[in-house]
Amino acid sequence: ILTKNSIPSRPGRLPQLPKAFLDFLYDVSCQCDTRDNETKFVSLTSKVQMHQTSADGTTTKIAVELQDGHVVESVLMRHEGRATLCVSSQVGCAMGCTFCATGTMGIRGNLCSGEILEQLVHASKILLLSHEVKGRLWESQVSELEIDFGYKDKNFLRIKCDERSDVTDATKPRTNSRKKIQKEKRMDLIRNVVFMGMGEPLNNYSNVLIACRAMIDRRTWNLAHNRVTVSTVGVVSRMRDLTRDLPEVNLALSLHAPNQAMREKIVPSAKGTPIKSLIEALDEHMMALTKRKAEASGVGFNLEERQIASKKKRAMIEYVMLVGDTSTIEAAHQLGKLCEGRHLVVNLIPYNKTDVKDKLSCPTEEHMLHFRDVVSSYGAFCTIRRTMGADIAGACGQLVVEQEKKEQKLVDIEDGPFSINAERKTPLTALSKRGKDKNELSSESKTNENDTIITPMDPWLRRLTIATAITATCFVASSALFVLHIRKR
């Protein structure tokens, strides 16, 4: 079911599963009934809790509920001629970036490789469904045009549909309809995957590595190597491990500041990790394949080969634009000097407002354009990322955090803290860690200072504590009197 493109069997390779068998498994999984789901075959361990699409139809935010009740986010972005999926690698995040909604959650656990890939499955189904809906709308237009023109050729009728839509909007520029058809055909599959969702991917290195290998494997997802991007706040040792184990994929560094002092203020985990070492590790990843060829030939590489390597595999710097010291023109010069002579890609990210402690905002568009021009003057390829999904809580972790706040506020009057059934309820903090049994979670929740759970046994415990304290006091007093009596003798 996870197979996107089948490949012919070759000598020495195991044959693919029969298509009829895969269709059977898919049909059984779709017919799974909640009343009898234990007797049915389930192909996925997670499910889509909810999904929202932006008003312009370009972005879909997906909340995926895992088998243990935790929720992670994925974002499906539809660009012109391609679809990109942003996936999560952890539940929460330990890095604690001040501008990130996921950082307010803390770390709750790692996703296994299958859970990462299942986000791709869910997003593919949603993308295919939206593509089919557009197809039905087009078929309704075709049925009208068949009467007008008398032609049955679908390509001709599609061109006429495009021409009719162009006539209704005189300001819309006319495009090549055949190229438009080809772009629409490419939109039914996800072509790009970026690990820029919840969590720090390199802190879940083994599972992310397995997931990346499955994505670029011809027998499974068959994505192009340069279409998979792993983003990191800056775990230098793991960056070097990725360069060794999987140099084919792209690597993006979330820098967000041009010097160490500024970076430590907004990225607490940056303490002890110099920016220079991060840039060097990023540069080594970009030049890994070129270095291997140079070592094999015994000849070093020149500036032209560095430029060619930067085009084949992107090593990116992500830089969030916040009003303050990090977005000044001086900071732009410092950032440009860091990238000078390396041909790195700098991606400026307009800040998407989230419910974090610090009140942050995004600079004006004119200021960001000036900032971009300054960085580009040092030889870096600098772009401003297009803002998408602002109307559907599109920022990383924003949707999950908002849902948890709503759940904390909505408490049934029958399930209040003084209810007899209160001890049966599992508080939100009981889901704070993955991979623990229920008894361990319940004991942790009862000892948490932020949780107030009062059970019917609490009054008796208080009385027993008071009685024990009185008994201990009497024992100490009687012992003191006994010692004094012996000394007087």
Side-chain angles (χ1 to χ4, degrees):
I1 295 174
L2 294 178
T3 302
K4 187 185 77 170
N5 295 327
S6 59
I7 60 174
S9 58
R10 298 191 298 272
R13 189 178 292 278
L14 295 176
Q16 298 290 313
L17 291 174
K19 186 176 182 300
F21 180 64
L22 292 175
D23 292 339
F24 167 75
L25 295 179
Y26 180 75
D27 292 339
V28 171
S29 64
C30 291
Q31 296 171 3
C32 181
D33 191 355
T34 55
R35 296 169 297 178
D36 193 26
N37 58 1
E38 294 182 357
T39 62
K40 300 292 185 180
F41 177 82
V42 179
S43 59
L44 301 174
T45 63
S46 59
K47 62 182 180 180
V48 177
Q49 186 185 79
M50 64 173 294
H51 62 91
Q52 297 175 333
T53 302
S54 59
D56 57 4
T58 59
T59 310
T60 301
K61 191 72 175 273
I62 308 168
V64 179
E65 183 178 345
L66 307 178
Q67 57 183 340
D68 54 4
H70 288 86
V71 179
V72 295
E73 296 178 8
S74 305
V75 182
L76 178 62
M77 295 165 284
R78 302 169 182 86
H79 304 278
E80 187 176 358
R82 70 184 190 277
T84 301
L85 180 65
C86 177
V87 298
S88 297
S89 56
Q90 291 182 312
V91 183
C93 185
M95 295 304 177
C97 299
T98 58
F99 53 85
C100 180
T102 308
T104 63
M105 299 172 59
I107 184 63
R108 302 184 182 181
N110 294 327
L111 270 65
C112 66
S113 58
E115 290 171 330
I116 296 173
L117 292 172
E118 284 183 11
Q119 298 175 64
L120 195 51
V121 177
H122 294 308
S124 298
K125 290 181 179 179
I126 293 174
L127 181 63
L128 183 61
L129 180 62
S130 63
H131 193 73
E132 290 176 352
V133 170
K134 289 181 180 179
R136 294 193 196 102
L137 295 175
W138 176 76
E139 291 293 341
S140 64
Q141 293 180 351
V142 166
S143 61
E144 298 176 1
L145 289 172
E146 283 181 352
I147 301 174
D148 297 339
F149 294 95
Y151 288 95
K152 296 293 183 179
D153 183 56
K154 289 187 177 181
N155 288 335
F156 172 79
L157 293 173
R158 185 186 288 270
I159 292 171
K160 289 300 179 183
C161 286
D162 294 336
E163 290 177 353
R164 177 171 290 188
S165 62
D166 288 344
V167 171
T168 56
D169 188 1
T171 61
K172 182 178 178 181
R174 184 166 300 202
T175 57
N176 191 324
S177 297
R178 295 190 182 278
K179 290 184 178 179
K180 194 173 182 181
I181 293 170
Q182 294 177 355
K183 288 181 180 180
E184 288 178 359
K185 287 181 178 178
R186 292 197 296 266
M187 283 293 292
D188 61 344
L189 291 173
I190 295 172
R191 305 288 180 179
N192 303 273
V193 175
V194 293
F195 284 81
M196 298 180 183
M198 297 169 61
E200 166 55 51
L202 296 188
N203 280 348
N204 187 17
Y205 182 75
S206 59
N207 290 312
V208 169
L209 186 65
I210 295 172
C212 288
R213 285 174 172 165
M215 291 174 186
I216 63 178
D217 193 337
R218 291 184 63 246
R219 294 167 295 179
T220 51
W221 292 104
N222 194 25
L223 295 178
H225 293 176
N226 60 349
R227 299 295 184 181
V228 178
T229 302
V230 178
S231 176
T232 177
V233 173
V235 186
V236 178
S237 59
R238 288 304 188 184
M239 291 171 70
R240 301 188 189 280
D241 290 342
L242 185 67
T243 302
R244 180 196 64 214
D245 298 332
L246 202 62
E248 297 89 355
V249 301
N250 298 336
L251 180 62
L253 172 64
S254 298
L255 191 63
H256 306 313
N259 56 60
Q260 189 68 21
M262 290 184 185
R263 192 166 192 261
E264 290 180 0
K265 290 181 180 179
I266 59 177
V267 183
S269 61
K271 296 179 180 178
T273 308
I275 288 182
K276 184 179 179 181
S277 63
L278 295 175
I279 299 297
E280 289 177 353
L282 184 66
D283 184 72
E284 288 178 7
H285 184 84
M286 182 182 70
M287 301 302 300
L289 297 178
T290 304
K291 282 184 177 180
R292 289 183 182 180
K293 293 180 181 179
E295 290 174 357
S297 61
V299 181
F301 54 87
N302 53 26
L303 181 61
E304 184 179 355
E305 290 177 340
R306 174 179 283 276
Q307 293 176 349
I308 295 173
S310 65
K311 292 179 181 179
K312 288 183 178 179
K313 184 161 61 66
R314 299 283 179 156
M316 291 183 289
I317 291 179
E318 296 171 300
Y319 197 96
V320 65
M321 295 299 292
L322 302 168
V323 173
D325 296 336
T326 59
S327 63
T328 61
I329 302 303
E330 182 183 356
H333 286 285
Q334 294 178 12
L335 179 61
K337 290 178 181 178
L338 280 175
C339 306
E340 191 173 11
R342 298 182 185 273
H343 296 279
L344 299 173
V345 177
V346 179
N347 196 355
L348 304 181
I349 306 172
Y351 176 67
N352 191 356
K353 287 187 179 181
T354 58
D355 189 11
V356 294
K357 181 179 179 181
D358 299 331
K359 299 302 179 182
L360 306 172
S361 59
C362 179
T364 62
E365 184 177 357
E366 292 78 12
H367 182 80
M368 288 191 292
L369 290 173
H370 189 193
F371 192 97
R372 180 198 65 183
D373 295 339
V374 171
V375 176
S376 300
S377 65
Y378 288 87
F381 182 73
C382 187
T383 61
I384 300 176
R385 181 181 294 181
R386 176 186 171 190
T387 302
M388 302 176 70
D391 57 335
I392 55 169
C396 173
Q398 191 174 359
L399 187 60
V400 172
V401 171
E402 288 182 359
Q403 286 182 346
E404 289 188 354
K405 287 184 178 180
K406 290 179 182 178
E407 291 176 6
Q408 287 176 338
K409 292 178 181 178
L410 297 177
V411 180
D412 197 315
I413 192 171
E414 296 181 358
D415 299 326
F418 296 98
S419 171
I420 296 178
N421 296 327
E423 59 183 352
R424 301 177 187 173
K425 298 292 181 180
T426 304
L428 279 175
T429 52
L431 290 175
S432 60
K433 299 291 181 183
R434 301 193 73 195
K436 295 186 177 181
D437 56 17
K438 295 181 180 179
N439 294 331
E440 188 178 354
L441 288 175
S442 61
S443 64
E444 285 183 4
S445 63
K446 290 179 182 179
T447 57
N448 195 333
E449 296 178 356
N450 297 327
D451 298 330
T452 305
I453 303 177
I454 301 176
T455 65
M457 292 295 295
D458 285 346
W460 295 102
L461 292 174
R462 292 195 189 95
R463 294 170 187 171
L464 182 61
T465 302
I466 295 172
T468 304
I470 294 173
T471 304
T473 303
C474 294
F475 176 76
V476 172
S478 60
S479 299
L481 292 174
F482 179 73
V483 171
L484 291 173
H485 180 67
I486 292 176
R487 289 180 178 178
K488 287 180 179 179
R489 288 184 179 180

